[in-house]
Amino acid sequence: MGKTVYSMWARYMSMAAALCLFDGGLWSLLFSYPSLPQFKALPLYKPISIPGATAMMFALMTLAIEKPLFPVPMALKSILYLMIAAFSAMQFSCIVGAEFYIISGITYMIAVMSGETGDISEDRKLKQQDNRGKA
């Protein structure tokens, strides 16, 4: 049995989070419900839901980051995804995507601490070398 390549798992998880967040942003344009009743007093929800609309932009940005168009360090991805999760959780329909972003951010932190580089082929070789000779 091999070891888990955390950066690969976090990449797929963050793309799934982006799709959930985009879906939640679409629903927030129709139904603008904040996640907590205290947020109703904020002017973010009056004509349209500002957190929902920005959640859709965050989702598209995530898909651009995770596609290998330009390299982004994994530590920066981790911090960015945790900040996106904190802001997107203000909209009720985006809570599932925010939860996925939290998991992705934590998984990227684990990948950084375990010494992964973010390149899938290098990380697989690294894990194979660590696993060699073990039952």
Side-chain angles (χ1 to χ4, degrees):
M1 299 300 288
K3 293 186 178 182
T4 303
V5 180
Y6 291 107
S7 60
M8 183 173 62
W9 187 71
R11 180 173 181 252
Y12 292 136
M13 189 70 185
S14 62
M15 286 192 285
L19 294 175
C20 288
L21 201 63
F22 192 82
D23 182 52
L26 287 175
W27 280 107
S28 71
L29 296 178
L30 296 173
F31 307 106
S32 181
Y33 297 128
S35 57
L36 294 174
Q38 292 85 359
F39 290 156
K40 273 194 176 184
L42 296 175
L44 298 174
Y45 300 98
K46 299 301 182 210
I48 63 166
S49 172
I50 302 296
T54 55
M56 290 191 297
M57 289 187 291
F58 286 148
L60 294 175
M61 182 182 69
T62 300
L63 292 176
I65 287 173
E66 291 300 333
K67 274 309 240 189
L69 297 176
F70 54 93
V72 177
M74 287 191 299
L76 181 64
K77 286 182 188 180
S78 174
I79 294 168
L80 179 68
Y81 291 161
L82 292 175
M83 289 176 20
I84 289 173
F87 184 74
S88 299
M90 294 174 65
Q91 177 66 38
F92 184 71
S93 60
C94 297
I95 288 179
V96 174
E99 290 172 351
F100 287 177
Y101 270 112
I102 290 171
I103 294 169
S104 298
I106 291 171
T107 309
Y108 269 125
M109 281 185 201
I110 293 170
V112 168
M113 288 188 280
S114 68
E116 293 182 13
T117 61
D119 184 22
I120 302 299
S121 60
E122 284 184 28
D123 291 337
R124 282 185 180 164
K125 289 177 187 175
L126 178 71
K127 297 294 180 174
Q128 285 174 355
Q129 289 172 356
D130 289 345
N131 201 29
R132 202 156 276 169
K134 297 179 183 174

